[in-house]
């Protein structure tokens, strides 16, 4: 039975790949992994166009992480214009409910049907344009937002894939297993699993402590025959960067060396200097290999 | 609330029923049952008629059960993974350390129920009797209810939309035979959505004694917790205070404390000051907390000498004080 076309599928016709970042468990680093994935895909070629959609409607973290907190979204005759995190180059488009809130501290207290409506709009009413990749950051759980995404994206199912993020401990792995069951129930191919917060390096003595255990994610990937994309330790520099990332306009001119003729994407430059960035390169290679196989 | 919403009044979130369509104007609005959005809604006739709107039929049963519960405490965050469930468990164990009290833990995180694992009772099942569902007892005076006990296997996903989740929460409140409780601690999922609204609606008459909000020091967490504070104020829940979890890490090798999650914007202290909420305390990150949770043992009992244990106990004492005020 062929899926009917809908506004989302029409809008996303010009998007090549849609990668959904899931976990089941809260606080394992979905948003930071989504941000890193988007930045790495963006940097993978000088012309790649990447979009990042934040469907965590009650806890939107992506605007802050990309340094575009407080920006607002404009309506055009052809839909909402996303916020471009890379300034004038306009190759990294972002959409989040965070941009629609009048005050940052306002809570979004919505039940399922209204969340479903918002997600429908984010997929069908935003001028994403031509994208090589659309990364979708999700909230924890396997509920309304996730079901709505799969429902609205049904006509473009062949473009969908998922990455599961977990931390090493048992409580997180239990939820990650539920998340894996969800992907199997809705026929969503999984590119692989990332084990986040796997170890912490003490800045004083260099001793590696397993603050949230270690190895659980890799063991789960093996057991469930998933590709293990890699593990990332807790990176304090990355946490600080994603927390307080300043918008390109806020950085005083001349304070950072220019890398290339059109490089004014400070966040990307500062990200590349973190230890996570180097590890993520390997993760991205494996993810893309998985993507090309599926 | 939303900059791009239409000019229609924003309905009180508590007046939007769980099976309402997307643009429900709210049951208390003048447009109730008559707005364009009401077409096809199961409640349309009732809202549009002049008959007085009946209350949710489960409310009197919930009220009856809750009459035997002295104090109801919510553990909220907004942000995921900050330690709500872990904190709820330690709070439960600390209350239950007093043999003369009865404590109940209700886990309304339907998609990711961690409470059974943290208490070491993940493989238990719920039994039903004529007086209702029996909670699973960790010890004689500490009972637990969670959807985790009702799943065929741990890896089964609970892929339910809001209305079905709300139905289960209603059952947890009216069908579980808690008996007489001194404390009922309710662990919630992250966010400000169906589960949170339902708990508030169902317990409106019985009353919620207060909420403890848990955060970690970074700004991305504080932003979500700020929204949760806003939610509590919108729906009229008393905030007992804010707890900063994972606040510093003591290296087991060199014993120096380092900031694993830097409070780049002032941490929970700044948020507490900004919002006029009391900062109950800060708990450092001890890797043995996570391990204890994984093995289902009480961290406070196993490691009484840890600075994290001292922090937990001080915070819990303060909560008891504030509750008695």
């Amino acid at each position: 039975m062929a899926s009917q076309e809908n506004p989302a599928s029409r809008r996303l016709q010009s998007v090549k790949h849609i990668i959904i970042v899931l976990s089941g468990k809260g606080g394992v680093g979905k948003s930071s992994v989504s941000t890193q994935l988007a930045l790495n895909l963006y940097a993978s070629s000088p012309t790649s166009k990447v979009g990042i959609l934040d469907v965590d409607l009650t806890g939107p973290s992506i605007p802050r992480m990309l340094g575009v907190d407080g920006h607002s979204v404009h309506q055009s005759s052809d839909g909402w214009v996303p916020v471009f995190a890379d300034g004038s180059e306009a190759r990294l488009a972002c959409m989040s409910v965070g941009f629609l809130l009048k005050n940052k501290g306002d809570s979004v207290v919505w039940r399922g049907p209204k969340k479903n409506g918002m997600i429908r709009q984010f997929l069908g009413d935003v001028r994403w344009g031509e994208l090589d990749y659309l990364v979708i950051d999700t909230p924890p759980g396997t509920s309304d937002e996730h079901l709505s995404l799969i429902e609205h994206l049904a006509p473009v199912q062949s473009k969908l894939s998922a990455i599961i993020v977990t931390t090493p401990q048992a409580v997180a792995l239990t939820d990650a297993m539920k998340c894996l069951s969800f992907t199997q129930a809705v026929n969503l191919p999984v590119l692989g699993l990332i084990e986040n917060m796997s170890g912490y390096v003490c800045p004083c003595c260099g001793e590696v402590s397993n603050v949230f255990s270690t190895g659980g994610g890799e063991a789960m990937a093996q057991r469930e025959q998933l590709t293990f994309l890699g593990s990332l330790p807790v990176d304090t520099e990355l946490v600080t960067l994603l927390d307080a990332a300043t918008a390109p306009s806020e950085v005083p001119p001349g304070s950072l060396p220019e890398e290339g003729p059109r490089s004014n994407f400070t966040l990307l430059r500062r990200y590349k200097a973190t230890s996570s960035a180097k590890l993520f390169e390997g993760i991205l290679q494996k993810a893309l290999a998985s993507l090309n196989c599926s | 609330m939303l900059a791009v919403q239409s000019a229609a009044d924003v309905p009180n979130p508590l007046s939007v029923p769980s099976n309402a369509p997307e643009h429900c104007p709210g049951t208390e609005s003048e447009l109730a049952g008559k707005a364009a959005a009401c077409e096809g809604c199961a409640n349309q006739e009732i809202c549009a008629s002049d008959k007085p709107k009946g209350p949710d039929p489960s409310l009197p049963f919930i009220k009856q059960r809750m009459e035997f519960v002295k104090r109801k405490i919510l553990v909220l965050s907004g942000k995921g993974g900050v330690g709500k469930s872990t904190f709820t468990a330690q709070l439960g164990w600390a209350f239950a350390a007093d043999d003369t009290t009865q404590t109940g833990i209700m886990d309304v995180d339907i998609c990711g129920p961690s409470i059974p694992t943290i208490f070491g009772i993940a493989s238990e099942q719920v039994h039903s009797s004529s007086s209702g569902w029996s909670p699973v007892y960790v010890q004689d005076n500490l009972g637990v209810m969670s959807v985790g006990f009702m799943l065929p296997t741990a890896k089964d996903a609970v892929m339910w939309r809001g209305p079905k989740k709300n139905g289960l929460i209603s059952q947890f409140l009216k069908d579980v035979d808690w008996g007489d409780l001194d404390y009922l601690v309710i662990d919630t999922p992250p966010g400000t959505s169906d589960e949170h609204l339902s708990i508030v609606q169902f317990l409106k008459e019985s009353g919620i004694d207060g909420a403890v909000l848990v955060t970690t020091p970074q700004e991305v967490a504080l932003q979500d917790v700020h929204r949760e504070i806003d939610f509590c104020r919108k729906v009229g829940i008393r905030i007992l205070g804010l707890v900063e979890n994972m606040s510093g890490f003591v290296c087991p090798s060199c014993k120096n404390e380092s900031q694993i999650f830097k409070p780049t914007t002032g941490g929970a202290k700044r948020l507490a000051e900004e919002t006029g909420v009391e900062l109950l305390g800060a708990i450092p990150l001890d890797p043995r907390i996570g391990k204890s949770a994984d093995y289902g043992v009480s961290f406070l009992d196993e490691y009484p000498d840890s600075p994290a244990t001292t922090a937990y106990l001080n915070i819990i004492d303060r909560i008891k004080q504030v509750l008695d005020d």
Side-chain angles (χ1 to χ4, degrees):
Chain A
M1 186 178 72
S3 291
Q4 299 292 321
E5 268 222 350
N6 60 23
S9 65
R10 279 192 284 273
R11 201 57 96 150
L12 298 174
Q13 250 172 30
S14 48
V15 173
K16 293 205 186 96
H17 299 287
I18 301 173
I19 305 175
I20 305 177
V21 180
L22 299 164
S23 77
K25 181 87 182 67
V28 298
K30 287 177 293 306
S31 298
S32 71
V33 163
S34 300
T35 303
Q36 292 187 76
L37 184 60
L39 288 174
N40 277 277
L41 287 168
Y42 173 92
S44 64
S45 100
T47 53
S48 57
K49 291 208 178 92
V50 181
I52 177 167
L53 171 61
D54 179 7
V55 300
D56 189 343
L57 300 177
T58 61
S61 308
I62 298 287
R64 182 85 193 180
M65 291 188 173
L66 284 177
V68 287
D69 206 12
H71 282 223
S72 46
V73 160
H74 305 287
Q75 278 259 22
S76 76
S77 53
D78 190 32
W80 291 350
V81 180
V83 174
F84 290 99
D86 59 337
S88 51
E89 251 211 84
R91 282 196 293 125
L92 181 54
C94 173
M95 180 53 69
S96 165
V97 79
F99 300 131
L100 305 177
L101 298 173
K102 272 208 207 105
N103 299 309
K104 260 195 313 189
D106 277 347
S107 55
V108 174
V109 184
W110 294 347
R111 288 197 182 270
K114 199 148 178 176
K115 291 198 279 189
N116 187 20
M118 186 88 262
I119 291 173
R120 198 181 54 233
Q121 284 195 277
F122 275 169
L123 292 170
D125 290 347
V126 172
R127 278 178 52 178
W128 292 109
E130 277 180 18
L131 292 177
D132 297 289
Y133 303 96
L134 176 62
V135 177
I136 304 185
D137 182 30
T138 60
T142 47
S143 186
D144 288 277
E145 294 89 337
H146 313 86
L147 292 167
S148 296
L149 271 179
I150 300 297
E151 227 174 69
H152 295 306
L153 292 173
V156 293
Q157 200 180 17
S158 55
K159 301 189 197 219
L160 299 183
S161 56
I163 287 179
I164 300 181
V165 182
T166 186
T167 51
Q169 337 94 298
V171 283
L173 294 172
T174 314
D175 288 353
M177 284 301 299
K178 291 190 168 72
C179 178
L180 181 61
S181 298
F182 170 83
T183 61
Q184 286 162 347
V186 299
N187 290 318
L188 180 59
V190 178
L191 299 179
L193 182 89
I194 294 176
E195 180 177 297
N196 202 17
M197 305 200 205
S198 187
Y200 170 64
V201 182
C202 174
C204 306
C205 66
E207 166 102 1
V208 178
S209 298
N210 292 319
V211 282
F212 302 116
S213 303
T214 196
E218 189 164 4
M220 174 180 156
Q222 244 178 6
R223 214 178 46 232
E224 305 298 323
Q225 289 160 339
L226 293 173
T227 308
F228 183 61
L229 296 176
S231 50
L232 294 165
V234 177
D235 180 348
T236 330
E237 285 310 308
L238 179 69
V239 171
T240 309
L241 178 64
L242 296 179
D243 235 21
T246 49
S249 54
E250 286 176 33
V251 176
S255 61
L256 285 162
E258 289 285 310
E259 242 182 35
R262 35 185 167 66
S263 172
N264 65 348
F265 194 8
T266 322
L267 171 65
L268 182 61
R269 237 169 315 120
R270 286 171 64 193
Y271 169 65
K272 283 197 156 160
T274 64
S275 48
S276 296
K278 295 166 191 49
L279 290 169
F280 212 94
E281 275 167 29
I283 290 177
L284 182 68
Q285 291 315 312
K286 286 204 185 123
L288 291 177
S290 239
L291 188 61
N292 293 326
C293 280
S294 59
Chain B
M1 182 172 72
L2 283 195
V4 291
Q5 236 184 1
S6 66
D9 290 323
V10 178
N12 171 5
L14 290 180
S15 73
V16 176
S18 58
N19 58 350
E22 185 191 330
H23 295 296
C24 168
T27 54
E28 290 153 25
S29 151
E30 279 175 358
L31 295 172
K34 303 177 188 120
C38 300
E39 284 297 313
C41 174
N43 306 321
Q44 188 181 17
E45 246 185 70
I46 302 169
C47 284
S49 78
D50 290 325
K51 280 189 247 157
K53 297 170 191 27
D56 185 334
S58 55
L59 288 178
F61 296 108
I62 294 176
K63 192 170 177 205
Q64 233 175 10
R65 287 277 191 200
M66 293 294 118
E67 254 163 27
F68 301 100
V69 179
K70 286 209 186 93
R71 300 258 191 256
K72 299 168 221 71
I73 305 163
L74 293 187
V75 179
L76 300 169
S77 172
K79 184 83 182 70
V82 297
K84 287 178 290 311
S85 299
T86 315
F87 184 83
T88 302
Q90 310 313 321
L91 191 57
W93 265 308
F95 283 151
D98 178 356
D99 282 339
T100 61
T101 59
Q102 279 286 127
T103 304
I105 308 276
M106 183 156 66
D107 178 9
V108 303
D109 188 343
I110 310 236
C111 295
S114 307
I115 291 284
T117 307
I118 297 177
F119 277 110
I121 45 175
S123 50
E124 297 291 323
Q125 285 190 330
V126 169
H127 300 286
S128 171
S129 71
S130 52
S131 50
W133 296 353
S134 291
V136 178
Y137 285 92
V138 181
Q139 52 192 59
D140 284 339
N141 62 346
L142 183 58
V144 176
M145 181 50 64
S146 165
V147 79
F149 301 128
M150 303 175 185
L151 301 171
T153 70
K155 66 178 191 140
D156 284 305
V158 180
M159 296 163 42
W160 294 351
R161 285 196 180 270
K164 203 160 170 179
K165 293 196 275 188
N166 301 330
L168 186 64
I169 294 172
S170 166
Q171 285 194 284
F172 276 0
L173 288 166
K174 70 177 163 69
D175 291 341
V176 174
D177 182 16
W178 295 103
D180 283 302
L181 287 181
D182 295 277
Y183 302 101
L184 177 62
V185 186
I186 303 173
D187 183 29
T188 60
T192 48
S193 187
D194 284 276
E195 297 89 333
H196 312 85
L197 279 171
S198 295
I199 277 285
V200 171
Q201 274 179 333
F202 291 140
L203 292 177
K204 208 167 175 195
E205 278 190 45
S206 332
I208 294 173
D209 294 86
V212 176
L213 274 79
V214 184
T215 185
T216 47
Q218 333 89 304
E219 175 63 15
V220 282
L222 297 173
Q223 278 192 337
D224 284 350
V225 178
H226 196 157
R227 292 191 191 102
E228 199 73 14
I229 294 174
D230 186 54
F231 167 79
C232 289
R233 292 189 169 146
K234 262 188 195 153
V235 300
I237 302 177
R238 177 189 176 201
I239 298 175
L240 300 174
L242 184 65
V243 172
E244 183 177 88
N245 202 12
M246 307 195 206
S247 180
F249 173 71
V250 179
C251 176
S253 165
C254 68
K255 308 292 180 210
N256 280 328
E257 189 170 318
S258 56
Q259 299 279 4
I260 184 170
F261 299 116
K262 284 205 177 84
T264 53
T265 54
K269 185 156 178 277
R270 193 261 316 161
L271 178 64
E273 278 162 22
E274 217 175 78
T275 51
V277 160
E278 180 183 339
L279 180 62
L280 296 169
I283 306 170
L285 180 55
D286 185 328
R288 297 170 299 182
I289 299 177
K291 285 227 169 63
S292 305
D294 276 359
Y295 287 114
V297 297
S298 163
F299 170 76
L300 303 177
D301 288 338
E302 295 288 312
Y303 304 103
D305 300 324
S306 166
T309 303
T310 318
Y312 265 121
L313 292 174
N314 287 339
I315 290 171
I316 291 168
D317 278 338
R318 181 64 194 140
I319 290 174
K320 285 187 190 162
Q321 256 177 6
V322 174
L323 276 175
D324 287 332
D325 284 345

